[in-house]
Structures are given as C-alpha cells and as structure tokens.
Amino acid sequence: MTQEKSQKAKNLTHLLSPEAKSRQNSPLKDAFKYYKLPGMTFLGGGLPLSDYFPFNKITAEIPTPGFTKGIGAPLTDDIKSTVEVYKKADQNEPNQIELARSLQYGFTEGQPEVIAFLKEHTETIHGVPYQDWDLIASVGNTESWDSTLRTFCSRGSSILVEEYSFSSALETANGQGINTVPVTMDEFGIIPSALETLMSRWTGNKPKLLYTICTGQNPTGSSLSAERRKQIYDIACKYDFIIVEDEPYYFLQMETYTKDKSQREGKQVHGHDEFVKALVPSFISLDTEGRVIRLDSFSKVIAPGLRFGWIVGQAALLERYVRLHEVSIQCPSGLTQTLTNALLQKWGQSGYLDWLIGLRAEYTHKRDVAIDALEKYFPSEVCTWVPPVAGMFFTVSIDVSKHPKFHELGEDPIKIESLIYEEGIKQGTLMIPGSWFKSEGQSTPPQKNLPQNPSQRTHIFFRGTYAAVPLDQLVIGLEKFGKALRVQFELE
Amino acid sequence: MTQEKSQKAKNLTHLLSPEAKSRQNSPLKDAFKYYKLPGMTFLGGGLPLSDYFPFNKITAEIPTPGFTKGIGAPLTDDIKSTVEVYKKADQNEPNQIELARSLQYGFTEGQPEVIAFLKEHTETIHGVPYQDWDLIASVGNTESWDSTLRTFCSRGSSILVEEYSFSSALETANGQGINTVPVTMDEFGIIPSALETLMSRWTGNKPKLLYTICTGQNPTGSSLSAERRKQIYDIACKYDFIIVEDEPYYFLQMETYTKDKSQREGKQVHGHDEFVKALVPSFISLDTEGRVIRLDSFSKVIAPGLRFGWIVGQAALLERYVRLHEVSIQCPSGLTQTLTNALLQKWGQSGYLDWLIGLRAEYTHKRDVAIDALEKYFPSEVCTWVPPVAGMFFTVSIDVSKHPKFHELGEDPIKIESLIYEEGIKQGTLMIPGSWFKSEGQSTPPQKNLPQNPSQRTHIFFRGTYAAVPLDQLVIGLEKFGKALRVQFELE
C-alpha cells in the first residue's frame, strides 16, 4: 500500500446496466451525516440496541500459525490457539470487530478491520497497477457474479464465457435472459486468437464482459498462462469489455506434476516471497485501465459456509455494487466477519500466507495421487490428460471414435459419453460428463462460421475431483472408472 | 404441526416472472443423488475437506432463559449460559449443527435443525391454514424482498405499496424498473376501501403483489387491525394478487398506551398463551389460498448482523426462490446458522417465547417514555399522534396551515416540512420528514382520479424512533424537537 501509483482507472460507466445506472442514493443516507454529531440527538434510524443482542462473548479454537503438522492436522493442544471476541470494543484486542458493531446494521462495504486486512493482502499478491481501486465484501462468488450481471447486463445482453464453464454460473446468466457466447478453449484455457476472431467478426451489440475462471478452471481444470492472460487483456481493451475473473481456486495452485516420486519432496515452495512469485499473475495485476472485476472468496481457502467473498475493481464501478448490496444482501454475516477477522488478525498477514502455503502442499499431494492413479488405471489407448496446476478438478479426454459402438450410434460423441457415465455408476464410481458444462449461447453472426475445436467430433471429457474424498477412496474410485472405460472400449 | 390440514394451496404459478419461470435445475443436482450411496465413490463435487476448516470448537456466552432481570441486563454469572458447538456431530449435543456441515456447501433452504425450529415456532404463532406451506432461509428481509421482486416481477411490472413506505424497499423496486403504486393510508394503515376502489378502476396489467409492512409500519408506526387484514386479504383473492407481508417488527408488539402510569405495571402479558393471543393475526394466519408470502427475520428480535431471515409461503412458489438462491446468496452464513441454532435449542421454544415477551416489555416501556415526552413537550395546538402498538417508530402529524409562513410559501406543505427539519437540526435533534417516504409510482388510470387523503394538503408528519437511543437521550431529543416546533410556529 506504500507504493505511489500515478495511473487512474479509465471511466467505464458507459458499460453499466440501466438497473445499475438508475439506482438512487437514499435521502436517509444524507440524514445519517448527523448521526453521532456532538450535541445531536439522532431519532432518525431504526436500530435495535446492542444491549439486546444475546451474544456476549464468543471463543473459537483455531490452529496456530506455522501449521507444521499440515493444515488438516487434528487440533492437539500444542498447535491450538484461541480467539475471543466480545460485544464491546474495550474488552477486545486491537483490530477486533466488536459484536455490538458487527451484529448491528451498517457497513455494506464490509467491516473496516477485515477489509483493511484483505486490501493489504490483495496489494501483496496482485499489486493492482492503478490508484483508485477498491475492495468490497460480498456473500461469496456466486452472489458476486449475480450482482456483476445485474450491474453490467440486462435482459438480451450478451456476455463471453469459456466454452465449458461452471453450470451454476451459466444458469445465473440464463435466468436473467443473458446470452452466454462460448469462446473456444483448449486444454490450457481460452485460446486468445479464437477470442480475437470472434470479436473481429462480431456484429450487433458488443458483449459487456468476459467471464473466466482462469485458474484451476471449473470444469476443465485448465489454467491460463501469463502470456494468454496478457493477450486476452489486450483484446478486452481493444473491444472495450470488462474481464470478470472468478478466482475461488487461485490459492489452490500447485507444483507442476512429476511422475518421479523422488523428485517431489524438494519442489514445494517454502518462503513467502517464493510462494507469491510462484503464483500465476492475475488479470487484475495486469489491469492498467481498471476493466477487471476480480471475484475472490474464502470458500476454498477457509470454508464455503462462511459466505464471505470480496470484489476487487475500480472504485467508481464498485460503488454501484454497494448501492445494489444496500437493497439486497446488505453485507456478510456479522458473526462471520468478526470471527474470520479474529482468525486473520491472530494469524497476521504472514500466518495467512503460511496457511495458503500449507494449502498448496495439500492440494499438490492430492493432485499427485490422482494423476498417479490415472497413470496406473486408465487405458492410455483411448485417454489423455493434462495434470492440472491449480484447482480441485482434473479432466480425462477420451477418444470416442475408438468406441466399438461409435459408428452404430451415428458418430454422436454424447451418446458414447452417456454409455461411459452409466458404466461408471455400474462400477460404483461417478465422474461428471463434460457436455453438462457446455455453454449454449449464440454470437451474432452465429459462431458456426468460426473456427471450432475439431476434436469435439471425436473427443469427450469427464471431470473428476481430488478435493472432496479421502485419498484411499480417490484411488479406489479411479480404479473403478478405469475399469468402466476398459469394459466400454472392450480393452483387454 | 400435529394438526391435520385438509386444504391445499391454490396454483398461483401464473404470477411468476419470466426470470423465475425460466430457471433450470442443474444437471449436476441429478448426479448428486448418487452422493453418499453405499459403495459409490463420488468424484463429482468440488467440496473442500472439512479437515481444512480452521474453526474447531466455538463457545458463546448467552443469557439464561427466564430473563428475569430483563433481556438487556448485563450478563452476570447468575444469568449466563454457555453454548458449545464442534466441528463434528459426535461431540455436539442433539439438534446442534456441526461446523463441518454448516461451513460446507449445501442446504440452500437452510440447515434442517434450525428450519425445523422455525417451522414449529411459525405453527405456534401463525397456524398457517393450509397443508403445503414451507419455510426457507434468507439473508434477511432486504434480500427476501429483492428475491421476491425477481420471482414475481419484471421490468415494467406494477406492484401495490403503502402510500408511505420504507424507502429502501421502494428503491429495490425502482432499481428493477418496477412501478410502485401507492395505496391510500390513514393513521391505522392501508384503507381497504381505497384499495378496492383502486383495483376496481385499474386498467392494463394487474399488479402482481401488494407489499405491506403491516405491523409497526415503517415509517408511519401504524399497525393494521385484524378486520382490515381480512378485508385486504379478500381483495387480494378477488383481484388475484400476492400479499407480501414484511414483518420484522411483528414481535415488537406492545401493550396499548395509557397516560396513567399507575395502570401500566399490571398490563404486561405473562404466560405464553396470553402472549400469543395478544398478537395481531398475521396475513399468513388468514391465508386459505396460499397467496401470502411472509418475510420474517431475526434482525429486530436477535440481531440484524446475523443476516438471517426466513420466508414462509406455499411450497410451489418457495421452490422458485430456492432456485434463485442457488445462483445468488446460496444460504445464510454457517456460523450464523450454527450459533443461532445453538442459542435457540438451548432456550427451546418456551425460552424463545420468554425472550419475545421480554422484548415486548422493553419496547412497551420505550414507547411509553416517548409518548409521555410528546405529551409533555410537543405543542398540542399544531401536533397530533397515535401511540403506536408495534414497532420502533412513532409519527407526529403537524398541521402546517397553522405555520406563519404557510400562505407566503404558496401553501406548500413540503416547504414547511423543510423549515421544521432544519430548525430541529439547529436545536440539536433529528427526526425524518415523512415526505422522504412517499411512494411515487403511477396506477393506470392515474390515481389522481381516485379519492385522496384530503389532509395531505395541510398536514405533514415526522418519523421518530424510541428504539435506538437511551431513554434519557430520547426525552432530551424530544424536548428539543418540541422547542423547534414552538419556534417555527411562533408559539408562546
């Protein structure tokens, strides 16, 4: 935060939706300037007295930084810390958020202490290149995305999405009557030249934004390289659209996969600088114009049920989100804000980085176990995979043209996909068919005139995860899916 | 819940918005039927392991039921209880929500234990008359209202609102391009005959819903009588619209005001049955057709910062809210759900009623102090008031035709209102001008052909609250406002 920044964000308010543009400030807000003015008796606001909040003191047991036994180790006494939060500030340690404040109305942007922590963290990790950026709280990326669409789009708007994308995110757009135009991907994410071609041929209303899960993508597990990010950012500037980077998996970046187990041990990052440098640059770290909206969240790094995310972007655009949040979610739960803040303040910036480094080690190991199992059990005659470098997901690409019923079933890859899905369930294991994530929108002119990934006529994929199951189960599950593939393809 | 109900809700899906109708179920949901099936290895979902959730055990100090010293009494050891919640179910008491579950994804409808508690409570208080009602969680009534509008309305829709209404609620509608048509009120709320006249003359697309804060209304402090509720419900059935009752203040119902202080002591309700019977019947308690959506919240009875509300209505309509919540808020914070549930389970239904009875006593006393101060300090020559029977607000009606500058300022009540507002601030006290809450929408044909409240040409009102300030400050503030009125009206 000490760095002086001369550059200011570009004015992009022309990209706001009619809904976002029309939001009024409440006249009541104006009256609140008199609240707590010396000598003023303020009878204006309907706030309950905090005396009636029936939570007086809350204590939580948390792991002690260092996390030398791993972040998932049972909390034995030697690695256990305690945080205490109180209703009144005078009982709390510095930088705690008293319950009398967090359980009251107010602070749509988020409580100042935890927002300041997140801003400092964001500057450390991303070093946003312009001056007037801001950071506001949300109740998680699902809500941040819903609010983003309401802030920039209206019924009939088009947006750009990855060819395969998180089905809930697509459904958010579909419900709002927004056209989700797919951008061609390969195993490393969006292909910049395909995006450029799509935009250069576009007619009619330009898309308002590109939605990308650029690190550990859901469902493909792909991660955009620094080079592709820069190319895509330049295209966004050229064609004047917003990039929305939905980044729940950003800190699930891992070491690159290596088959030789003896080489794995030494690869894990140790120091904080080494850790930060090993991260792929985010879009917002490249954002000289202020046209990136970054959706960040504690869901994958602390816990999803906190319902606590945050949005980073230029202040003038985020102000419109705050107006929307005032009349929708208001802010994350006060218990969540007070307790998450207590945890973060206890850990400090340094302890939080230790936690994230611990997370990196855990996911690297899980990913290694998954890819080892693919190597062992999946038939290489019909399958390929790219070991993911981030996220919770891996995908297995399958050449359906080698399936014995391919011709009989009219060379329809989806029919073979169904057979494999059903066979997997029969064998007692479930992975998700890639076609379930296909985005369905239409560009103008229709994208069929555009270059398509030719392998789609002969290749399908399945999405698996190494995040959610114990490692022994993961291996058993993949062994069973490998068997399902062998049965279907009549191998051995 | 033991009562057998034969009546089922009417099919009202024709009132849903295009957005609500178009929402799809995710195909991924279908796959989740295999989750936790014996023998199945489920590699489908991207859930983080609960081992990585850094909250192990949380302890909270809460007041012990009985609340004999009042609900706002400092928590001394003799009236203090403790609740403990753990990550794993086997360490918890029965009916607790383990943190491993509440901090995970899932349960958009709300965690089963706390929803069951709220359903039992709802049946006790409201006795919903039909069979297929349901109750789902929200993050508070502000969000419930936003979701309600998105579920029933679209840009250009009209809705009915109280002539003076909560400005944030009107702004929620305005932002969505929804026309808010005012229904004439008097000091006791919506006038049923005015609503009937408005509807009988309506041309064009009928309003989708009536939005009413029917108990302790914000801003007027009025509460609809049981008789008016029944009449309004019958009009809703006749003209086929939904009634949305926004009821944060429902449990801030009080004893009726009596000037004679000696008579006050004995009036407070004591037993649970007496308490429940003393409550005004809600719209949902009259709802034989399933056309009431009730918005309920802990904000005024536990704490606003919990961000925990709930919606009651017929199951077929609430299912559409769940689809919306899946792609927006997901659910209230897991910490909020686990800790609020722990509090409620510790108190039990009976202890929670004790708490609400305690709240009634507190607000009755605050209201009495406020009205006593009005009696003492406000000039009866120009002011009148109706002591509220519910909520946080009182209003003072002022006859501006008696203001010395009334004719000079073109007989414009709003100009006199501004003078009084400014004079209040000059005297060091702030109440909110009633005109700030005026709803501005237009009916078709324009409502100017309809009967209007003639007193609006000569009367204004100011809204004050007795909720948010200590009682000594309340009296001082009202004394100062009384002085401001005397100065403005050149009295004494």
Side-chain angles (χ1 to χ4, degrees):
Chain A
M1 301 283 250
T2 51
Q3 197 185 340
E4 280 294 318
K5 291 169 187 174
S6 54
Q7 181 136 12
K8 295 199 80 174
K10 217 169 160 171
N11 183 341
L12 297 176
T13 50
H14 60 280
L15 293 174
L16 291 167
S17 66
E19 176 171 326
K21 281 180 186 158
S22 75
R23 289 192 188 288
Q24 310 280 323
N25 277 330
S26 166
L28 286 169
K29 294 237 164 261
D30 192 53
F32 267 85
K33 73 186 177 205
Y34 296 107
Y35 184 57
K36 293 196 170 168
L37 208 68
M40 179 66 66
T41 315
F42 190 81
L43 305 177
L47 307 178
L49 284 184
S50 62
D51 293 350
Y52 304 157
F53 300 166
F55 293 103
N56 203 48
K57 173 191 173 184
I58 300 178
T59 310
E61 287 180 6
I62 62 167
T64 306
F67 315 112
T68 44
K69 295 182 178 175
I71 61 163
L75 267 199
T76 47
D77 284 346
D78 54 325
I79 55 169
K80 187 159 65 184
S81 296
T82 300
V83 288
E84 292 180 343
V85 292
Y86 295 85
K87 199 190 268 187
K88 296 293 183 183
D90 54 14
Q91 296 169 280
N92 285 301
E93 289 183 39
N95 290 323
Q96 298 292 40
I97 304 168
E98 60 169 9
L99 292 167
R101 169 149 54 86
S102 69
L103 291 180
Q104 188 53 277
Y105 287 109
F107 295 99
T108 309
E109 302 84 348
Q111 295 286 337
E113 294 83 352
V114 68
I115 295 296
F117 189 98
L118 290 172
K119 282 183 176 170
E120 190 180 345
H121 168 74
T122 297
E123 199 58 276
T124 303
I125 303 295
H126 305 290
V128 187
Y130 62 95
Q131 207 179 81
D132 47 336
W133 66 276
D134 204 355
L135 184 156
I136 62 165
S138 79
V139 298
N141 286 18
T142 308
E143 185 274 316
S144 297
W145 173 232
D146 181 65
S147 291
T148 296
L149 288 172
R150 306 218 186 259
T151 298
F152 294 105
C153 302
S154 48
R155 206 154 262 276
S157 293
S158 288
I159 63 171
L160 302 164
V161 298
E162 286 152 328
E163 187 180 358
Y164 294 92
S165 189
F166 179 39
S167 31
S168 273
L170 297 176
E171 180 50 31
T172 310
N174 293 341
Q176 293 184 36
I178 294 163
N179 182 30
T180 53
V181 179
V183 183
T184 308
M185 302 170 80
D186 61 17
E187 57 269 48
F188 304 103
I190 289 172
I191 304 169
S193 62
L195 176 60
E196 170 62 41
T197 308
L198 174 65
M199 290 310 302
S200 68
R201 299 190 190 173
W202 197 282
T203 57
N205 287 332
K206 286 276 165 64
K208 290 294 196 80
L209 56 87
L210 164 67
Y211 173 76
T212 171
I213 308 164
C214 36
T215 315
Q217 206 253 359
N218 185 358
T220 65
S222 64
S223 293
L224 278 174
S225 66
E227 294 69 31
R228 286 198 180 184
R229 286 176 200 237
K230 182 72 182 77
Q231 290 167 347
I232 291 167
Y233 185 76
D234 290 343
I235 296 168
C237 294
K238 180 174 170 188
Y239 293 102
D240 190 28
F241 57 80
I242 302 272
I243 294 176
V244 180
E245 56 175 352
D246 184 4
E247 283 284 65
Y249 311 109
Y250 188 74
F251 286 114
L252 308 189
Q253 294 185 51
M254 316 160 207
E255 309 315 316
T256 50
Y257 177 78
T258 159
K259 279 188 196 180
D260 181 353
K261 290 184 186 179
S262 71
Q263 288 187 17
R264 287 180 190 167
E265 194 62 33
K267 289 189 69 185
Q268 185 64 25
V269 300
H270 298 289
H272 293 170
D273 287 352
E274 194 188 349
F275 170 70
V276 173
K277 274 192 201 129
L279 297 166
V280 66
S282 60
F283 275 108
I284 204 143
S285 75
L286 310 170
D287 185 19
T288 49
E289 295 196 345
R291 63 169 69 249
V292 174
I293 298 286
R294 180 175 175 82
L295 313 185
D296 242 319
S297 168
F298 285 124
S299 288
K300 306 299 193 290
V301 298
I302 304 282
L306 293 178
R307 300 285 85 222
F308 190 176
W310 58 99
I311 309 173
V312 187
Q314 61 158 292
L317 297 178
L318 293 198
E319 184 271 342
R320 294 284 88 190
Y321 284 77
V322 174
R323 294 288 89 73
L324 170 56
H325 284 177
E326 280 169 357
V327 295
S328 56
I329 59 155
Q330 298 207 3
C331 58
S333 150
L335 292 175
T336 281
Q337 290 194 72
T338 283
L339 286 169
T340 306
N341 178 66
L343 175 94
L344 293 171
Q345 301 291 350
K346 184 85 172 186
W347 285 358
Q349 296 287 347
S350 166
Y352 185 45
L353 289 182
D354 287 340
W355 180 261
L356 297 174
I357 289 170
L359 205 61
R360 182 181 178 102
E362 294 285 331
Y363 277 88
T364 296
H365 181 54
K366 285 165 181 281
R367 189 272 327 268
D368 286 352
V369 169
I371 304 300
D372 290 350
L374 294 183
E375 296 280 350
K376 186 164 175 190
Y377 297 116
F378 274 45
S380 59
E381 302 93 314
V382 296
C383 297
T384 56
W385 51 87
V386 175
V389 295
M392 295 181 151
F393 303 108
F394 61 93
T395 54
V396 176
S397 173
I398 300 166
D399 182 354
V400 291
S401 71
K402 294 180 178 163
H403 193 279
K405 292 195 179 162
F406 184 60
H407 299 294
E408 182 188 327
L409 292 174
E411 303 191 356
D412 181 352
I414 303 303
K415 287 185 178 157
I416 308 297
E417 189 188 64
S418 295
L419 289 175
I420 296 170
Y421 177 68
E422 296 299 336
E423 185 70 42
I425 289 169
K426 200 171 143 194
Q427 297 293 339
T429 187
L430 189 142
M431 289 173 65
I432 307 283
S435 69
W436 292 12
F437 302 99
K438 189 90 172 75
S439 49
E440 304 279 359
Q442 281 293 329
S443 62
T444 49
Q447 207 181 19
K448 61 186 168 207
N449 302 324
L450 288 165
Q452 285 252 302
N453 195 332
S455 73
Q456 281 184 11
R457 290 192 295 272
T458 54
H459 285 70
I460 59 162
F461 72 89
F462 277 80
R463 185 193 81 172
T465 181
Y466 38 78
V469 281
L471 295 180
D472 55 339
Q473 285 301 307
L474 174 62
V475 173
I476 291 167
L478 289 174
E479 183 177 359
K480 291 190 280 188
F481 205 88
K483 187 174 174 203
L485 287 169
R486 290 184 196 277
V487 168
Q488 278 295 311
F489 284 87
E490 297 175 7
L491 297 166
E492 81 200 289
Chain B
M1 300 282 248
T2 52
Q3 196 185 341
E4 280 294 317
K5 291 168 187 174
S6 55
Q7 181 133 12
K8 295 198 80 174
K10 215 167 160 173
N11 183 342
L12 297 176
T13 50
H14 60 281
L15 293 173
L16 290 167
S17 66
E19 176 171 327
K21 281 180 186 157
S22 74
R23 291 193 186 286
Q24 309 282 325
N25 277 331
S26 168
L28 287 169
K29 294 239 165 258
D30 192 53
F32 267 86
K33 74 186 175 206
Y34 296 107
Y35 185 57
K36 294 196 170 168
L37 208 68
M40 179 67 63
T41 315
F42 190 82
L43 304 176
L47 307 178
L49 283 184
S50 63
D51 292 350
Y52 304 158
F53 300 166
F55 293 104
N56 204 47
K57 172 190 172 184
I58 299 178
T59 310
E61 287 180 6
I62 62 167
T64 306
F67 314 111
T68 43
K69 294 183 179 175
I71 61 163
L75 266 199
T76 47
D77 285 344
D78 54 324
I79 56 169
K80 188 157 65 183
S81 296
T82 301
V83 288
E84 292 179 344
V85 292
Y86 295 86
K87 200 190 267 187
K88 297 292 182 185
D90 54 14
Q91 294 168 281
N92 286 301
E93 289 184 37
N95 290 323
Q96 298 294 37
I97 304 168
E98 60 168 9
L99 293 167
R101 169 150 53 86
S102 69
L103 292 179
Q104 188 54 277
Y105 288 109
F107 296 99
T108 308
E109 302 84 347
Q111 294 287 336
E113 294 83 352
V114 68
I115 294 297
F117 188 97
L118 290 172
K119 282 184 176 169
E120 190 179 346
H121 167 74
T122 297
E123 199 58 274
T124 303
I125 302 296
H126 304 290
V128 187
Y130 62 95
Q131 207 180 80
D132 47 335
W133 66 276
D134 204 355
L135 184 155
I136 62 165
S138 78
V139 298
N141 286 18
T142 307
E143 185 275 317
S144 296
W145 173 230
D146 181 65
S147 292
T148 296
L149 288 172
R150 305 213 187 261
T151 298
F152 294 105
C153 301
S154 49
R155 207 155 262 275
S157 293
S158 288
I159 62 170
L160 302 165
V161 298
E162 285 152 328
E163 186 180 1
Y164 295 92
S165 189
F166 179 39
S167 30
S168 271
L170 296 176
E171 180 51 30
T172 309
N174 293 339
Q176 293 184 35
I178 294 163
N179 181 33
T180 53
V181 179
V183 182
T184 307
M185 304 170 80
D186 61 17
E187 58 269 49
F188 303 103
I190 289 172
I191 305 169
S193 62
L195 176 60
E196 170 62 42
T197 308
L198 175 64
M199 290 310 302
S200 68
R201 299 191 190 172
W202 196 284
T203 57
N205 287 332
K206 285 276 165 65
K208 288 296 196 82
L209 56 86
L210 164 68
Y211 173 75
T212 172
I213 309 163
C214 37
T215 315
Q217 207 253 358
N218 185 356
T220 64
S222 65
S223 294
L224 278 174
S225 66
E227 293 69 28
R228 286 198 181 186
R229 287 176 200 236
K230 182 72 181 77
Q231 289 167 349
I232 292 166
Y233 184 76
D234 290 343
I235 296 169
C237 294
K238 179 173 170 189
Y239 293 102
D240 190 29
F241 58 80
I242 302 271
I243 294 176
V244 179
E245 56 174 351
D246 183 5
E247 283 284 65
Y249 311 109
Y250 188 74
F251 286 113
L252 309 188
Q253 294 185 51
M254 315 159 208
E255 309 315 314
T256 51
Y257 177 77
T258 159
K259 279 188 197 183
D260 182 353
K261 290 183 187 180
S262 70
Q263 288 187 16
R264 287 179 189 169
E265 195 61 32
K267 289 190 69 184
Q268 185 65 26
V269 300
H270 298 287
H272 293 169
D273 287 350
E274 193 189 349
F275 170 71
V276 173
K277 274 192 201 129
L279 297 167
V280 66
S282 61
F283 274 110
I284 204 142
S285 75
L286 309 171
D287 186 20
T288 48
E289 295 196 345
R291 62 170 67 249
V292 174
I293 298 287
R294 180 175 176 83
L295 313 184
D296 242 318
S297 168
F298 285 124
S299 288
K300 307 300 193 289
V301 297
I302 304 281
L306 293 178
R307 300 283 85 224
F308 191 176
W310 59 98
I311 309 173
V312 187
Q314 60 158 291
L317 298 177
L318 294 198
E319 183 271 343
R320 294 284 90 190
Y321 285 76
V322 174
R323 295 287 90 72
L324 170 55
H325 284 177
E326 281 169 356
V327 295
S328 56
I329 60 155
Q330 297 207 2
C331 60
S333 150
L335 292 175
T336 282
Q337 291 193 72
T338 283
L339 286 169
T340 307
N341 178 66
L343 175 94
L344 294 171
Q345 301 291 351
K346 184 87 173 184
W347 286 357
Q349 296 287 346
S350 165
Y352 185 45
L353 289 182
D354 286 340
W355 180 261
L356 298 173
I357 288 170
L359 205 62
R360 181 180 178 103
E362 294 286 330
Y363 277 87
T364 297
H365 181 54
K366 284 165 181 280
R367 189 272 327 269
D368 286 351
V369 170
I371 305 299
D372 289 350
L374 294 183
E375 295 281 350
K376 186 164 175 190
Y377 296 117
F378 274 46
S380 59
E381 302 93 314
V382 296
C383 298
T384 55
W385 50 86
V386 175
V389 294
M392 296 181 152
F393 302 109
F394 61 94
T395 54
V396 176
S397 173
I398 300 166
D399 182 352
V400 292
S401 71
K402 294 181 178 162
H403 192 279
K405 292 194 180 161
F406 184 61
H407 298 296
E408 182 187 326
L409 292 174
E411 303 192 356
D412 181 352
I414 303 303
K415 287 184 178 158
I416 308 297
E417 190 188 63
S418 294
L419 290 175
I420 296 169
Y421 177 67
E422 296 299 337
E423 185 70 40
I425 289 169
K426 201 171 142 192
Q427 298 291 339
T429 187
L430 189 143
M431 287 173 64
I432 306 284
S435 70
W436 292 12
F437 302 98
K438 188 90 172 79
S439 50
E440 304 279 2
Q442 281 293 329
S443 62
T444 48
Q447 208 181 16
K448 63 186 169 209
N449 302 325
L450 288 166
Q452 285 252 302
N453 193 333
S455 74
Q456 282 185 11
R457 290 192 294 271
T458 54
H459 285 68
I460 59 164
F461 73 89
F462 277 79
R463 185 194 81 172
T465 181
Y466 37 80
V469 282
L471 294 180
D472 55 339
Q473 285 300 307
L474 174 63
V475 173
I476 291 167
L478 290 175
E479 182 176 3
K480 290 190 281 189
F481 204 89
K483 185 171 175 206
L485 287 169
R486 287 183 198 279
V487 168
Q488 277 294 313
F489 283 88
E490 297 175 6
L491 295 168
E492 79 200 301

